[in-house]
Amino acid sequence: MNRTRTISRLTAVALGLAALTVQAQDRIRIGFMSPITGPQAANGGDNRDGALLAIKELNAKGVKIAGKPVVFELDINDDVADPKQGVQVAQTLADKKIRFVLGPYNSGVTVPAARVLNDADILALTVASNPKVTELGYRTLFRIGASDNQLGTKMATYAAQDLKLKTVAVIDDRTAYGQGVAREFTAQAKRLGLQVVATEFTTDKATDFSAILTNIRGAKADAVFYGGYSPQGGPLLKQMRGLGITGPLLGGDGICSSETANLAQLAGDLNVFCTQGGSMLDKSDKGQKFAERYRAEYKRDPLTYAAAFYDGMHLLANAMESAQTTTDTKKIAQAIERGKYAGVTGEFAYDDKHDLKSSAVTVYTFKGKDVVPLKSL
């Protein structure tokens, strides 16, 4: 037999076997919801890249469920941090017959979108922190980050006990997230004897804060707590300093991003403190390795929730393996409910409401434009 012909036939057989192997793999599409464009695009891109890094690792490792190899794919959707758009995205995912979603990111998007996802029997893992999210009672909805109860109260505790503040002004952006975290901060501040000398509100589209900051300056607050996100937090900080308000700016995870520093356009010590769910990445071996892999993959540091979306993807894959199904969301939800998963950001073990039983919260500050951890509470 001609040697060239033999090699060609062997090559054809090898290619055929490879094709059969690919066809034998189950392709599991994971929906993703976050703001990919608009003012919060940096956070949405960070969330996406955390999820993609986990998927890359899982696919490289090779996962088998019910004896069959699976390949994960991320179906990326932009909700623009808008509740109406979030509902439309959720319906699109339902129409595509997607069974799993990482996201949404914003509480204001999650609350209305969760109804659509629940009605379509979609299992969703969200970092949305407003307590209302898990009070909805949906059995296939889990929070994979800290709640406002934890973020707001821990910031107030740090403000009173570590910063030794006596008075504070509170601003929220009227989103579900902003109101929730501001409410929890205020309640804990009062419990600890911190006097709230001014309460103001703005919107998540605002650019001019001069009127409310003038009122706050008149109230002589030691610090300002802002319940909202970096696109407003950065300009708010810049305008605070422009009006001579030199006290700390405090906030939750919404401002715990280098975007706050970039948008503030200030030199020197920003005097900003914020809380974020999870323990300090640089204090654990898992956290350090995650940050190294993220930097190697994307040539930049992770922002607020890349690690949580990374953990969420691994948690989901782990639950599928435990339940031995890629389609039965109720069985997979039960595996999450009953199991424990040790992630980069902490242990994932759930209470009856699908909140984490124990979520470490870390206080951060800024060194230049870098967000650096100070203390885990």
Side-chain angles (χ1 to χ4, degrees):
M1 182 181 291
N2 183 283
R3 186 171 180 272
T4 302
R5 186 179 300 171
T6 301
I7 292 172
S8 297
R9 286 179 178 176
L10 290 172
T11 301
V13 169
L15 289 171
L17 289 173
L20 286 172
T21 301
V22 171
Q23 289 171 3
Q25 291 176 328
D26 242 352
R27 294 195 170 272
I28 305 173
R29 295 162 70 198
I30 309 297
F32 171 86
M33 294 179 63
S34 278
I36 302 300
T37 60
Q40 297 181 42
N43 293 98
D46 186 56
N47 301 342
R48 175 201 61 212
D49 292 345
L52 285 172
L53 182 59
I55 285 175
K56 181 177 181 179
E57 292 177 1
L58 288 164
N59 289 343
K61 181 181 75 171
V63 176
K64 282 189 176 182
I65 299 172
K68 192 172 183 179
V70 300
V71 173
F72 296 102
E73 298 175 344
L74 198 64
D75 190 303
I76 299 167
N77 297 267
D78 183 10
D79 61 34
V80 206
D82 178 74
K84 289 182 180 178
Q85 180 68 14
V87 169
Q88 292 176 12
V89 168
Q91 188 59 58
T92 298
L93 290 168
D95 292 342
K96 289 180 179 179
K97 307 299 182 186
I98 283 176
R99 312 301 294 159
F100 311 98
V101 168
L102 294 172
Y105 167 66
N106 305 84
S107 295
V109 174
T110 303
V111 172
R115 178 185 58 79
V116 178
L117 298 175
N118 179 71
D119 289 348
D121 196 28
I122 294 172
L123 192 155
L125 304 173
T126 179
V127 295
S129 60
N130 191 291
K132 291 179 182 177
V133 169
T134 49
E135 289 169 1
L136 294 168
Y138 297 147
R139 302 317 301 164
T140 53
L141 176 66
F142 294 83
R143 197 193 315 271
I144 55 172
S147 70
D148 289 341
N149 296 338
Q150 297 158 323
L151 295 170
T153 57
K154 298 290 185 169
M155 187 71 260
T157 299
Y158 188 83
Q161 297 179 356
D162 292 74
L163 297 179
K164 309 295 184 184
L165 300 176
K166 302 299 181 185
T167 61
V168 65
V170 177
I171 307 170
D172 77 70
D173 68 355
R174 278 307 187 249
T175 65
Y177 163 73
Q179 288 181 293
V181 74
R183 181 176 59 248
E184 297 301 331
F185 173 87
T186 299
Q188 178 70 352
K190 290 179 178 178
R191 284 193 290 267
L192 295 173
L194 255 174
Q195 185 180 0
V196 178
V197 295
T199 302
E200 302 283 348
F201 66 88
T202 181
T203 76
D204 62 343
K205 306 292 189 298
T207 56
D208 183 1
F209 308 97
S210 55
I212 60 176
L213 288 175
T214 298
N215 292 340
I216 287 170
R217 184 176 61 181
K220 295 182 169 51
D222 293 338
V224 175
F225 179 89
Y226 177 60
Y229 298 95
S230 294
Q232 282 66 50
L236 174 69
L237 177 62
K238 182 177 183 179
Q239 291 172 43
M240 281 174 59
R241 303 305 184 234
L243 286 170
I245 302 173
T246 59
L249 174 65
L250 314 175
D253 54 348
I255 67 166
C256 233
S257 161
S258 56
E259 284 297 294
T260 300
N262 290 333
L263 294 170
Q265 300 177 338
L266 297 171
D269 182 10
L270 297 185
N271 200 14
V272 174
F273 301 88
C274 53
T275 47
Q276 183 178 319
S279 56
M280 293 185 279
L281 291 180
D282 67 349
K283 297 299 183 183
S284 72
D285 184 56
K286 283 186 177 181
Q288 290 174 11
K289 288 180 178 177
F290 164 76
E292 289 169 4
R293 290 193 297 270
Y294 188 97
R295 291 187 197 103
E297 187 73 19
Y298 303 113
K299 306 300 184 281
R300 55 181 167 79
D301 288 331
L303 298 180
T304 309
Y305 276 121
F309 275 76
Y310 171 90
D311 276 346
M313 185 61 231
H314 276 288
L315 171 68
L316 178 58
N318 184 70
M320 288 180 186
E321 289 182 282
S322 177
Q324 285 297 291
T325 177
T326 61
T327 57
D328 192 328
T329 55
K330 287 184 171 58
K331 282 187 178 179
I332 295 167
Q334 288 172 354
I336 295 174
E337 285 175 337
R338 298 169 183 172
K340 290 182 180 180
Y341 176 74
V344 167
T345 57
E347 183 179 80
F348 290 79
Y350 284 93
D351 63 18
D352 291 341
K353 289 169 58 179
H354 291 183
D355 282 319
L356 292 168
K357 287 182 179 178
S358 176
S359 178
V361 172
T362 298
V363 178
Y364 290 78
T365 190
F366 288 78
K367 298 296 183 186
K369 293 183 178 180
D370 296 327
V371 185
V372 296
L374 288 175
K375 183 178 183 179
S376 287
L377 300 171

